[in-house]
Amino acid sequence: MINFEYAQPRTEAEAVEFLQSHGGQTAVLAGGTDLFNLLRSDLIAPKRVVDIKRIDSLKGIQQVSDGLLIGAATTLDEILASPLLSPYHSLRQIADAHHSMQIQAMGTVGGDLCHLPNCWYFRNGYGLLGTVNGESLAADGRNQFHAIFGNRGPAMFVSASRFAPALIAWGAKVRLVGPAPDQVELMPLEYFYVNPKTDKQSVTVLQPGQFVTHVWLPAVEPTSPVEQLSAAYEVLQLEGLDWPLASAAVTLGVSAGIVREAQVVLGHVAPTPWVSLDAATVLMGREVTVELAESAAEAAVAHATPLSENDYKVSIARAAVKRAILKAVDMLNV
Amino acid sequence: MAERKFGWGSRKDNALIGKDIQRIDGVVKCSGKAKYTADFATPGTLIARLLTCKHAHAKLSALDLAIVEKMPGVKAWHQFKEIGAEIKWDGELIAAVAAERADQAEDAIKALEKVVKYEVLEHFVDEADKAGAEAAKRLQKLGRNARSEANKDDVDAGVKKAFADAKVVHKGTYGIVTISHMCLEPHGTHAEWKGDDLDIHMSTQAVSTTPAQFAEGLEIEMSNVTVTADYEGGGFGSKFAAEEWGLATAKMAKQAGKPVRLMLDRATELKVAGTRPSGFAEISIGAAADGTIVAWDSVHWGTAGIAGGGVDVTKLPYVFDFPNRISQQYGLMCNTGPNKAWRAPPHPQLCALTMTAMDDVAAKLGMDSYDLFLKNLSAVTNGREAVYADQMRIAAKEIDWKAKWHKHGDTKGPVKRGLGMALHTWGGGAGACKCTVKIHPDGSVESFVGSQDIGTGTRTVISIVLAETFGLPITGVKVNLGSSKYPASAPSGGSITVGGVSGAHRRAAQTALWQIFDKVQVKYGLESTDGLNAKDGSILNGGDKVCTWKEACSLLGKMPLEVEGTGPKDDKLTSAVVGGVQMADVSVDTETGIVRVHKFVSVQDCGLIIDELTARSQVTGALTMGIAYSLSEERIMDNKTGRYINSDLQNYKLPRIGDIGELVAIMYQPDSEYNRGVIGLGEPPVISPGACLSNAVANAIGVRVPVIPLTPKRVLDALKGARA
């Protein structure tokens, strides 16, 4: 770890200012559960670390006119405890599935969304794309935990965020501030992620000096005739702290037993969260049954492009989609 | 007077031996008062960091440590490899720097990383790839071990005939990958010079033999070295040596004139601190219609690192031997970290290869696996056929085998349940031990032994033996161990410690007690000492109190009584050779490949048990470790870069408490076992889990997952292969 400056802003504007110096060679510190590993491994070497935990507006969950705003520095424990989030089952399920008191106490929503890939080639110093002499190590190397979708470009890693699939399925947006002092942007979370084509790119659209302040969630109307159901299913090899082998999140709008709206998003299968319109289409206008969930799951993985060692992940992704759908309608029985 | 004989006495008279007794050092460990090597920081202690090589095979072509000499805080440095030296695996140690603060040492290492240069050479790291190794000239043809009862003159012909005559012949491929040593406490050393004397604190399994290694490496006299190991977080076979990093620590301490502490970081620990060799095999078994195995033919290969080697051919098949058999071993010379004895070497691999193949014979015959193992017990080589049969009966009752058993693969639904079993053996005879037991005239008792408690409960066991012998509470004796200045004892490895220390301490204690009895006889005018007994803090004569323990000890005069105990001896205090049977009930999610352990039963003998609680803890620890290497733990080498690509605790997957399931440790100790005396227990229960869990998974899904650990990938790949 190299020495760095440490800044502790109290406002978003201060944070933007602090992040802009050193030509943007700065890093955001929230819970630190990923950042410290990156620093200690010298995978990143920021000149300044900007700690956003003291910015009050970034903490906690608040109701706004058209939904909820989750501050980027909100911890997983706060997600679990918030009554405002009780209609958003999939989010709580993700927070709970971390199975680690330490991560739940320290880890934040913003940190999860910006978590860099766990690809072991990246983490061992071969760059974001994991290359030697321009050749991908994962392409036909040790790729058992790598992508089965979106892997026809140079990136083979899987997106590390555990919340992103569920949030995208909910139609969440991210609020970004910076790099210009007054610049504020609200964008669908789906478009926040980038499948990088070069080592210079990152996994999100964030520019130097820009950071995530909030996640916006649309309101769930309890009186709406269309019931909003959701679930997430993460396939975890270990019962303790472990990264999913694959995951799926679904949000269903159900009216009189019929699916009227459906979003299906897979996680840990591609360099970005992976939206499956095919699976959603299968569900639309139908009543959820085990057979329908299986059909949707099959549609979700039909176009998978597994690498040399990760064909098994297709089966796991299929199971995750099926189970997330069944879980959402309370029919899961495994 | 009746002849005085060493012995353990009647089971029913024991106040402490065989009871559930908590560790006497449990509170200091749990409260953080116990000091481990990483806690040693005598004034001025420098912190050292390591420069390691990131190539699997290379020559060191440039490195100049002079650049660190003027760096802030740097006080000492050490170069492990000379320019031109060959580096043979990822993680090899190149240099070390000791500085006043850790970050200063890290800065120095970073500076060295910028200037070190290597000439990169061809590497080979794929331990399963026998053909690839042959092509790369990395294959060793090693031993062949054959016999035939059918034709003693022409063994090959005899084995061939036995296969031809067999009712069924099963052929299969099996494997168990390399794992790394993963002690909770990594390797490390704190070294401090006091004049010519060197004080070493280190996590070691061998306080009595390590000073010689430091003396030789540093060219000083052995008497100048003191090795201390008060508390340790495991050894498992990886901590017998001073190690190059230990010697470097002492050299840097000399250079700096200050104490130095060097602990391996986890990645380096995984890469260089020792591995358990892999084993892969093609096995053919011929069996009669009733399941009796008549023929065995195996070719196995694996690696213990650059040395090749692998799993000893003379021990395959394991526990059983069959009337006609051939086994042939190959070794793969891989650019991977070196082997170190890993808990019961190499029995877990032997067991995994042998008993999964046997279980597949049962599946092929449509037999209950239990019946096949039972049928073949006459072929066990350790003479414990009847004990195994009894242990199988007990384990089967505990896991409800007969009710839950189904034919392999015969279940419905995506999550399938299955049962598996395996059995094992180990020696565990007493190791060499010398101790001093000292009884003071005020009745206080202390002992000294150059053994060590590597986390197994050795302190507690010695305390129980002494307290039982003298009729004192366990708090009435003070055990001193973990120093090379105490009477020399064997390293703690191979399950030899409990027999070694309990035998020696019992002998010393009984000898001391008899001398006290003699004084009591004179003082109290007794006709004989035959009826004397020490119990509940008193000396009794035929059940009547003669005097208190303290009164008896006061007869010693002004000087303490010091008695030396040694062992092992042929006096039935200790013995060797144990067996155990394990059965597991698992479920396999055939959509995700995830295996969950519901219940895991171990029935294990180990002769006379000193502390039932500690014994069961050994077993549950072994089952936990077994679940790790059976389901998730593995070293993954990257063929392209030659690197140990998962050398971190995120990807080197170890189970958490939720992955363990219900563990049942049944200690098998009928009088026939009690009367054998003490036998070691550390290794045996870690042997069977691989085969046992693999067999349970095969029973659940009807398909053998050939290679251990049984990860979701391997389970799903096997299922897909079976469907294809």
Side-chain angles (χ1 to χ4, degrees), chain B residues 373-450:
Chain B
F373 281 105
L374 194 65
K375 187 80 205 166
N376 285 285
L377 282 183
S378 57
V380 301
T381 55
N382 61 4
R384 296 181 67 73
E385 176 185 346
V387 174
Y388 282 127
D390 208 22
Q391 292 176 340
M392 280 176 65
R393 182 184 55 75
I394 293 166
K397 188 177 172 200
E398 176 63 33
I399 209 156
D400 204 11
W401 184 283
K402 288 295 169 193
K404 288 184 177 164
W405 169 262
H406 57 75
K407 287 195 174 179
H408 286 74
D410 189 16
T411 58
K412 293 189 172 59
V415 179
K416 299 182 184 299
R417 199 110 174 205
L419 293 180
M421 66 162 287
L423 48 88
H424 54 259
T425 187
W426 188 255
C433 182
K434 193 177 284 181
C435 67
T436 301
V437 173
K438 204 166 177 177
I439 297 164
H440 294 277
D442 66 354
S444 59
V445 177
E446 58 184 334
S447 68
F448 301 86
V449 63

Side-chain angles (χ1 to χ4, degrees), chain B residues 38-72:
Chain B
D39 298 319
F40 275 90
T42 50
T45 293
L46 305 174
I47 305 300
R49 290 288 188 266
L50 291 162
L51 174 70
T52 61
C53 182
K54 294 184 168 72
H55 300 289
H57 192 197
K59 267 188 186 165
L60 181 62
S61 50
L63 179 64
D64 184 0
L65 263 59
I67 62 163
V68 303
E69 291 179 22
K70 297 242 157 57
M71 288 187 71

Side-chain angles (χ1 to χ4, degrees), chain B residues 647-702:
Chain B
S647 60
D648 59 80
L649 287 178
Q650 176 180 317
N651 290 304
Y652 190 88
K653 294 197 178 195
L654 297 170
R656 310 307 204 270
I657 198 74
D659 297 302
I660 300 304
E662 180 191 0
L663 305 182
V664 181
I666 298 173
M667 303 314 300
Y668 181 82
Q669 197 190 191
D671 287 347
S672 55
E673 289 300 318
Y674 180 87
N675 294 334
R676 295 172 74 205
V678 178
I679 314 175
L681 174 67
E683 337 278 310
V686 88
I687 297 168
S688 276
C692 183
L693 292 168
S694 178
N695 290 344
V697 167
N699 179 240
I701 63 176

Side-chain angles (χ1 to χ4, degrees), chain B residues 124 130-140 306 331-334:
Chain B
F124 180 83
K130 181 159 156 270
E134 189 161 25
K137 298 192 166 44
R138 297 297 192 99
L139 189 68
Q140 304 163 315
I306 198 65
L332 275 65
M333 294 177 284
C334 291

Side-chain angles (χ1 to χ4, degrees), chain A:
Chain A
M1 180 158 42
I2 58 152
N3 289 331
F4 52 78
E5 295 171 8
Y6 173 77
Q8 201 178 70
R10 299 302 171 110
T11 65
E12 291 176 16
E14 270 181 26
V16 170
E17 195 183 327
F18 284 138
L19 284 166
Q20 274 179 325
S21 49
H22 299 295
Q25 291 184 61
T26 52
V28 176
L29 169 64
T33 61
D34 189 30
L35 188 74
F36 288 133
N37 287 332
L38 294 163
L39 289 168
R40 287 177 63 90
S41 316
D42 293 316
L43 292 172
I44 60 169
K47 296 223 161 44
R48 174 183 289 172
V49 167
V50 180
D51 184 348
I52 61 167
K53 284 197 299 294
R54 299 293 177 93
I55 304 173
D56 287 338
S57 64
L58 302 191
K59 292 194 279 192
I61 301 155
Q62 50 176 310
Q63 206 147 17
V64 289
S65 60
D66 54 352
L68 296 180
L69 271 185
I70 304 174
T74 305
T75 65
L76 275 56
D77 273 343
E78 289 163 344
I79 297 284
L80 284 168
S82 168
L84 292 173
L85 283 174
S86 56
Y88 304 85
H89 291 166
S90 55
L91 299 184
R92 286 189 160 188
Q93 288 162 3
I94 296 289
D96 186 50
H98 276 69
H99 295 172
S100 161
M101 291 162 69
Q102 293 90 339
I103 298 292
Q104 286 164 334
M106 291 300 294
T108 64
V109 172
D112 173 86
L113 294 178
C114 298
H115 200 293
L116 287 178
N118 293 307
C119 164
W120 45 33
Y121 295 112
F122 167 57
R123 299 275 166 171
N124 273 286
Y126 295 97
L128 181 61
L129 299 177
T131 57
V132 169
N133 300 327
E135 273 187 45
S136 167
L137 291 167
D140 57 350
R142 287 284 129 103
N143 50 40
Q144 67 181 81
F145 300 129
H146 285 76
I148 56 171
F149 289 103
N151 54 10
R152 294 305 175 91
M156 303 287 163
F157 61 78
V158 295
S159 168
S161 173
R162 292 173 73 164
F163 280 100
L167 288 169
I168 291 170
W170 273 109
K173 295 179 180 175
V174 274
R175 181 175 177 271
L176 314 178
V177 300
D182 299 323
Q183 193 175 335
V184 178
E185 200 175 340
L186 194 64
M187 68 158 63
L189 180 59
E190 186 184 347
Y191 304 136
F192 177 66
Y193 290 99
V194 172
N195 188 341
K197 302 292 178 252
T198 73
D199 265 331
K200 300 269 181 272
Q201 284 180 286
S202 186
V203 296
T204 69
V205 299
L206 285 176
Q207 300 167 48
Q210 194 178 27
F211 75 107
V212 176
T213 63
H214 295 86
V215 175
W216 171 86
L217 275 175
V220 174
E221 299 298 338
T223 54
S224 165
V226 179
E227 190 185 5
Q228 294 291 315
L229 304 174
S230 72
Y233 194 95
E234 295 187 313
V235 179
L236 296 161
Q237 184 181 352
L238 300 176
E239 284 286 319
L241 180 63
D242 197 10
W243 291 97
L245 296 168
S247 70
V250 300
T251 304
L252 304 175
V254 178
S255 161
I258 302 298
V259 176
R260 299 295 177 192
E261 301 155 12
Q263 278 82 34
V264 178
V265 187
L266 286 77
H268 303 270
V269 295
T272 63
W274 196 255
V275 176
S276 178
L277 295 176
D278 292 343
T281 304
V282 170
L283 297 171
M284 293 292 280
R286 306 282 298 274
E287 183 183 350
V288 175
T289 61
V290 172
E291 291 71 26
L292 184 74
E294 283 173 350
S295 299
E298 199 55 53
V301 299
H303 302 295
T305 52
L307 302 168
S308 54
E309 294 190 341
N310 69 6
D311 181 66
Y312 78 105
K313 280 188 65 165
V314 177
S315 171
I316 288 178
R318 185 192 292 118
V321 172
K322 178 176 100 175
R323 292 176 187 189
I325 294 166
L326 295 174
K327 194 173 173 182
V329 296
D330 206 17
M331 283 175 61
L332 183 61
N333 184 26
V334 283

